Amino acid sequence: HSVDLRVAAGEIVGIGGMSGHGQRELLRCLFGIKRTVDGTIRIDGQPVVLKHPADALNHGLAFLSDDRRNEGLAQQQSVARNIAYPSLKRFHKGGVVRSAVQRTLVEDLVRRLDIKLASHEQRVQNLSGGNQQRVVLAKWLPLEPRVLLLDEPTLGVDVGAKVEIYRILRDLVAQGISIVM
C-alpha cells in the first residue's frame, strides 16, 4: 500500500523489510503477475498498464522469481533451451529456428555469466543453485531489459555464487540497466 518508488537508469534500488511484508507482491505487480488495485506505474514519465507479464516485457521489464525451480526454469529442459526460450522470436525466420544464431547467443551468455556446466544440452536441474540462478538471469538478457525486478536473487546459493551474481548485477548496472531488488 502507498508505494512511491523511483528508479533511474543504471541504479540499484533495494526493497527491505521482514519476509511477508509485501516486497514479493510489489515486484509481482510491477511485472504484471499480480493486479494492482489502484495507482499508476510510469516508465519514462508515461503511465503504463501491466495486466500481464507480456506487457511488462514489452515495456522493458524482466523478473527473476525467488522460486527459480518452479517459476524461473524448465527443470527438465537443457540450459540452452532455458536461455533461448524467451527470445525465440529472434531465431525464427519463416517458422524455422536458426540454430547457429541461437547457439552463438547461448555460448556468449554462458561465457559472460560464467555458467559452469558440462554441456549446453545439460539439464538445468543438474546445475548448482548458483549456476541455475545465472541461467535464469541469462534468459532475460537477450530481450535487452531496461529494468530487472529481482526477488531474492541470491536465495539458496553458496557464498561464492553470491559474490559472482552481485558482480554480474554491477556489470549490468554499469551498462545502464536498472535493478529493483
Side-chain angles (χ1 to χ4, degrees):
H1 299 285
S2 302
V3 175
D4 186 9
L5 178 68
R6 295 176 191 270
V7 184
E11 182 175 66
I12 297 176
V13 173
I15 300 168
M18 297 292 292
S19 181
H21 283 122
Q23 305 91 319
R24 184 174 201 257
E25 290 75 15
L26 174 62
L27 292 180
R28 289 170 179 276
C29 285
L30 292 173
F31 194 61
I33 296 170
K34 289 185 65 108
R35 304 275 314 239
T36 56
V37 177
D38 60 6
T40 305
I41 297 172
R42 295 178 186 274
I43 298 176
D44 292 331
Q46 301 300 314
V48 297
V49 177
L50 304 176
K51 293 182 179 178
H52 189 273
D55 298 330
L57 288 169
N58 288 335
H59 286 290
L61 285 84
F63 174 69
L64 279 78
S65 170
D66 61 334
D67 185 1
R68 72 178 166 267
R69 288 183 184 97
N70 295 309
E71 297 178 342
L73 296 168
Q75 290 285 327
Q76 298 294 319
Q77 295 295 322
S78 69
V79 170
R81 283 189 184 225
N82 271 274
I83 291 173
Y85 183 72
S87 55
L88 201 54
K89 288 181 183 178
R90 290 183 170 203
F91 312 120
H92 277 196
K93 188 170 187 172
V96 176
V97 174
R98 297 179 299 167
S99 299
V101 175
Q102 180 178 321
R103 188 173 34 260
T104 299
L105 174 87
V106 169
E107 288 170 356
D108 178 57
L109 287 166
V110 165
R111 182 186 44 73
R112 276 181 44 205
L113 275 63
D114 196 25
I115 301 170
K116 311 261 189 308
L117 45 80
S119 157
H120 298 153
E121 296 309 313
Q122 180 177 352
R123 284 188 182 178
V124 77
Q125 72 182 8
N126 295 328
L127 297 177
S128 69
N131 284 305
Q132 286 182 3
Q133 194 69 339
R134 285 179 252 205
V135 170
V136 175
L137 186 57
K139 77 179 191 177
W140 295 120
L141 296 182
L143 298 176
E144 299 175 356
R146 297 172 56 204
V147 180
L148 287 173
L149 305 169
L150 309 177
D151 189 1
E152 301 284 349
T154 59
L155 184 68
V157 301
D158 65 44
V159 173
K162 285 181 185 190
V163 169
E164 279 302 303
I165 289 169
Y166 288 136
R167 179 197 56 79
I168 291 165
L169 298 180
R170 282 192 305 273
D171 289 348
L172 294 173
V173 167
Q175 296 169 29
I177 295 175
S178 301
I179 296 176
V180 178
M181 61 188 283

